[in-house]
């Protein structure tokens, strides 16, 4: 069945470090792909999305490219900030979203 | 109010209680969802309503009963819950468009503790 596998956390980085959170998926067909972020005490917020192969989603310095050949949608940011500390979820689908297990990211000053 | 709101934000209940969670979306969407978020488990989709009709029920126990009286409101009625039902319950909404659904917008969640 459809699934999403994320890099296991927690991930701890220093401010201004480069970030990669890996995400791979299995799906029938070509789903839309999403990254959501959850800050403490809040619900999920859409961070970025891509709807077809080779699309690049970007927002707030974060980027992810829809790679059909590797069934991946890795999240990257060139220079993280303390305020990026949160849990990040990769997801696929449309009407029904299938989520990864989440990756907790902590950025130290 | 903007976006998706949920009340209450925190709820503690005994196993014999009956309570309801409320979700309201102010985005003009026509699809609404309930998710369960437990520690160390992926988000679980519980129910989907499209145009006020339930279109998905993912084998959720009958002690959870959803209600969608209109496109802006969604309830989750709780009855005779178990301690393992303690979790964060998230509501989301989206817009049905062109045969598919646009991205989902989430509320802040209700943190439920069952004693």
């Amino acid at each position: 069945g459809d699934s999403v596998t994320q890099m296991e956390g927690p991930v701890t980085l220093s401010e201004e470090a480069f970030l990669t959170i890996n995400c791979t998926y299995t799906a029938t067909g070509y789903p839309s792909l999403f990254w959501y972020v959850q800050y403490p005490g809040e619900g999920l917020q859409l961070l970025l999305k891509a709807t077809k192969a080779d699309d690049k989603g970007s927002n707030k310095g974060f980027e992810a490219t829809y790679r059909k050949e590797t069934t991946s949608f890795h999240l990257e940011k060139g220079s993280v900030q303390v305020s990026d500390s949160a849990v990040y979820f990769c997801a696929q689908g449309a009407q029904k979203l299938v989520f990864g297990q989440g990756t907790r990211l902590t950025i130290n000053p | 109010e903007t976006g998706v709101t949920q009340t209450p934000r925190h709820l503690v209940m005994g196993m014999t209680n009956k309570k309801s969670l409320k979700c309201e979306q102010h985005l003009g969407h026509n699809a609404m969802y309930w998710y369960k978020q437990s520690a160390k488990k992926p988000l679980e989709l519980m129910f989907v309503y499209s145009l006020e009709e339930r279109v998905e029920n993912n084998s959720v126990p009958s002690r959870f009963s959803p209600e969608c009286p209109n496109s802006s409101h969604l309830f989750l009625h709780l009855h005779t819950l178990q301690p393992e039902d303690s979790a964060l319950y998230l509501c989301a909404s989206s817009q049905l468009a062109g045969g598919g659904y646009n991205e989902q917008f989430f509320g802040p969640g209700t943190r439920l503790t069952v004693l």
Side-chain angles (χ1 to χ4, degrees):
Chain A
D2 295 351
S3 67
V4 174
T5 301
Q6 274 183 247
M7 169 179 179
E8 285 208 22
V11 174
T12 302
L13 296 172
S14 298
E15 205 165 23
E16 299 183 4
F18 184 85
L19 168 71
T20 300
I21 301 178
N22 291 337
C23 171
T24 57
Y25 66 92
T26 58
T28 51
Y30 303 103
S32 295
L33 301 175
F34 306 86
W35 277 101
Y36 280 83
V37 58
Q38 186 177 30
Y39 297 103
E42 299 183 15
L44 277 68
Q45 299 175 27
L46 179 66
L47 180 59
L48 53 85
K49 68 175 182 178
T51 57
K52 60 183 187 297
D54 300 325
D55 268 3
K56 178 186 283 189
S58 62
N59 186 26
K60 298 181 181 179
F62 291 90
E63 293 183 339
T65 301
Y66 192 142
R67 301 287 188 199
K68 186 176 68 172
E69 63 277 11
T70 54
T71 62
S72 65
F73 194 55
H74 305 320
L75 182 68
E76 296 182 336
K77 186 174 185 181
S79 177
V80 292
Q81 306 299 314
V82 172
S83 57
D84 294 326
S85 298
V87 181
Y88 292 80
F89 293 90
C90 184
Q92 60 142 314
Q95 172 192 0
K96 176 179 177 178
L97 287 182
V98 177
F99 285 86
Q101 74 271 30
T103 302
R104 182 174 299 277
L105 174 66
T106 301
I107 307 300
N108 294 321
Chain B
E1 293 278 13
T2 58
V4 181
T5 58
Q6 291 186 243
T7 55
R9 293 294 307 275
H10 300 273
L11 177 63
V12 179
M13 59 187 289
M15 289 191 285
T16 58
N17 291 157
K18 287 184 181 181
K19 296 287 185 183
S20 296
L21 309 184
K22 178 182 175 183
C23 175
E24 184 173 0
Q25 60 95 1
H26 309 268
L27 300 168
H29 290 163
N30 54 19
M32 297 187 77
Y33 311 77
W34 279 117
Y35 287 88
K36 177 182 179 183
Q37 185 178 27
S38 304
K40 301 182 181 178
K41 291 179 69 175
L43 272 159
E44 302 171 58
L45 178 64
M46 300 175 72
F47 301 103
V48 180
Y49 277 82
S50 174
L51 302 173
E52 300 158 41
E53 289 192 14
R54 191 189 311 180
V55 298
E56 183 144 355
N57 174 357
N58 279 352
S59 302
V60 178
S62 59
R63 57 186 184 269
F64 294 91
S65 174
E67 179 190 1
C68 187
N70 55 61
S71 60
S72 298
H73 294 86
L74 184 65
F75 295 89
L76 188 62
H77 303 299
L78 314 172
H79 174 53
T80 321
L81 295 191
Q82 305 298 310
E84 59 265 29
D85 297 322
S86 299
L88 182 68
Y89 289 85
L90 292 165
C91 174
S93 71
S94 69
Q95 182 65 23
L96 171 62
Y101 292 75
N102 289 328
E103 60 265 25
Q104 296 179 21
F105 291 79
F106 285 79
T110 295
R111 172 69 63 186
L112 174 67
T113 302
V114 181
L115 301 177

